[in-house]
Amino acid sequence: MRRFEYSRADAPEQAAMSANAKEASFIAGGTNLLDLMKLEIETPTKLVDVTRLTLKQVETTDEGGLRIGTLVTNSDLAGHPDVIANYPVLSRAILAGATGQLRNKATTGGNFLQRTRCYYFYQTDSPCNKREPGTGCPAINGENRALAILGTSDACIAQHPSDMAVAMRLLDAKIETVKADGSTRTIPVSEFYCLPKDTPHIENVLESGELITHVVLPAPIKGMHTYDKVRDRASYAFALVSCAAVIEVGDDGHLTTVRLAFGGIGTKPWRNEAVEALLMDTDGNDEVIKQAADLLLQDAKGNGQNDFKIPLTRRLLKQVIQRALAAGEGA
């Protein structure tokens, strides 16, 4: 690990100003950053510790939603009574990620900012456009079984790793930040992540020194909340394919609410509102589900080992819809 300057911030504005340098980083839980620093993949010359900031609360909003401090740990957020009662898809998504020990340290803001990565990103003796722009992407013709099939480019096919962010995308969360000049802004999660295109090293829209302070959830959505995660082992594994869903079935057997967001298949949390619109007000028969899967995957591109993700996503989508319909019939 290379030498670095270390400081602690007592206010968000101070933290943002202190980190307004090319090679500076914030540190809270450090569950991703410290690993990358040990491997010298991330080499910040300055770390700004934000753990003293008073951003560890979960508060209700006037609109009936929640405002979550960036330092709320994953464990505390998943176990918060309001999250369990009103946003169970978020609680389930968080609990599907990492281990209990990591969730106890990992923070809400840090989870959004964990690096989109693959095997080659960690191999410092290997080319990687995300680590060293312009050197190439060996994953395209190499080990790519776990990697993305949507939102990829000739420069990068790494899949986004977060489970929490998939649920946040489903729920239309918004991210509040403070910049180095003290100004603030609100960013919808739908606009937060960048597709790799020819700049895969740029993963989100944050500016230098910009600090996430809160995540705001709108009022709860009625319906069946589920988070399905297909992975190679029962715990501590990234998703091959995951699906966060909120689905409600009307008395006539038709879908009256459909929200779907997917993990494991995209270079960012993946949601296609046109797919949801196609399923709305239908009885979810096999033909409609097939059409929805076709629309979701129309731009999907496998690279050999990860080709299986295309039929696997189809099956998972069908399973989620049919389970909701069966639950609606039994209600």
Side-chain angles (χ1 to χ4, degrees):
M1 186 181 291
R2 300 187 187 182
R3 295 179 66 86
F4 56 86
E5 179 186 349
Y6 173 83
S7 66
R8 284 178 168 174
D10 296 312
E13 297 79 8
Q14 178 193 355
M17 185 178 298
S18 298
N20 187 25
K22 184 178 180 181
E23 301 299 333
S25 295
F26 298 115
I27 185 166
T31 56
N32 186 210
L33 176 61
L34 291 178
D35 283 345
L36 297 176
M37 289 177 65
K38 290 174 185 177
L39 295 171
E40 296 191 0
I41 296 169
E42 296 270 351
T43 56
T45 58
K46 182 178 184 180
L47 287 186
V48 179
D49 188 332
V50 297
T51 55
R52 286 183 174 179
L53 305 184
T54 55
L55 297 172
K56 300 179 181 179
Q57 293 76 35
V58 179
E59 305 164 311
T60 57
T61 66
D62 293 340
E63 295 74 26
L66 292 180
R67 190 166 185 251
I68 303 159
T70 191
L71 295 179
V72 175
T73 67
N74 287 179
S75 291
D76 285 347
L77 185 58
H80 194 279
D82 288 339
V83 175
I84 294 172
N86 298 318
Y87 305 92
V89 62
L90 176 58
S91 180
R92 291 168 184 170
I94 293 171
L95 293 174
T99 63
Q101 294 94 327
L102 286 173
R103 292 195 299 268
N104 288 342
K105 292 293 291 182
T107 61
T108 299
N111 193 299
F112 278 112
L113 297 175
Q114 61 179 305
R115 296 297 303 271
T116 301
R117 54 204 188 267
C118 76
Y119 318 113
Y120 298 98
F121 178 73
Y122 281 114
Q123 298 295 325
T124 55
D125 59 347
S126 169
C128 174
N129 286 324
K130 186 177 288 293
R131 196 178 64 246
E132 298 180 64
T135 58
C137 178
I140 290 176
N141 297 309
E143 294 294 326
N144 55 48
R145 180 175 178 273
L147 303 189
I149 57 174
L150 288 169
T152 60
S153 72
D154 292 338
C156 185
I157 61 171
Q159 90 285 17
H160 193 272
S162 174
D163 293 288
M164 184 199 79
V166 176
M168 291 290 195
R169 177 67 183 91
L170 177 85
L171 296 168
D172 288 329
K174 294 183 179 180
I175 295 171
E176 296 181 345
T177 70
V178 61
K179 297 183 182 182
D181 62 4
S183 64
T184 61
R185 65 169 168 162
T186 300
I187 309 166
V189 171
S190 60
E191 300 173 11
F192 182 73
Y193 292 109
C194 302
L195 293 174
K197 299 183 180 179
D198 59 354
T199 55
H201 58 292
I202 301 174
E203 297 181 0
N204 58 64
V205 300
L206 292 181
E207 300 175 6
S208 176
E210 191 168 6
L211 173 70
I212 295 174
T213 59
H214 296 88
V215 179
V216 180
L217 295 177
I221 312 163
K222 290 181 59 179
M224 180 190 77
H225 287 227
T226 63
Y227 188 75
D228 290 73
K229 183 176 181 179
V230 181
R231 47 189 164 179
D232 284 327
R233 54 182 184 267
S235 64
Y236 197 38
F238 291 144
L240 296 172
V241 182
S242 66
C243 180
V246 177
I247 301 172
E248 186 171 37
V249 182
D251 294 338
D252 61 356
H254 284 63
L255 302 173
T256 57
T257 298
V258 181
R259 289 203 187 188
L260 303 164
F262 294 85
I265 60 174
T267 54
K268 63 179 184 178
W270 206 263
R271 185 177 172 195
N272 187 328
E273 283 87 345
V275 172
E276 301 169 5
L278 179 62
L279 290 163
M280 277 286 291
D281 299 320
T282 72
D283 61 359
N285 61 64
D286 287 352
E287 181 57 33
V288 172
I289 295 174
K290 180 182 181 302
Q291 291 174 8
D294 289 344
L295 181 58
L296 173 66
L297 296 164
Q298 63 181 354
D299 296 321
K301 179 183 178 182
N303 291 92
Q305 295 178 8
N306 65 347
D307 292 349
F308 75 97
K309 287 194 175 188
I310 297 175
L312 181 58
T313 302
R314 290 180 176 276
R315 292 196 295 271
L316 184 58
L317 172 61
K318 184 175 182 178
Q319 172 184 300
V320 169
I321 298 297
Q322 290 184 335
R323 185 196 307 136
L325 289 166
E329 291 174 0

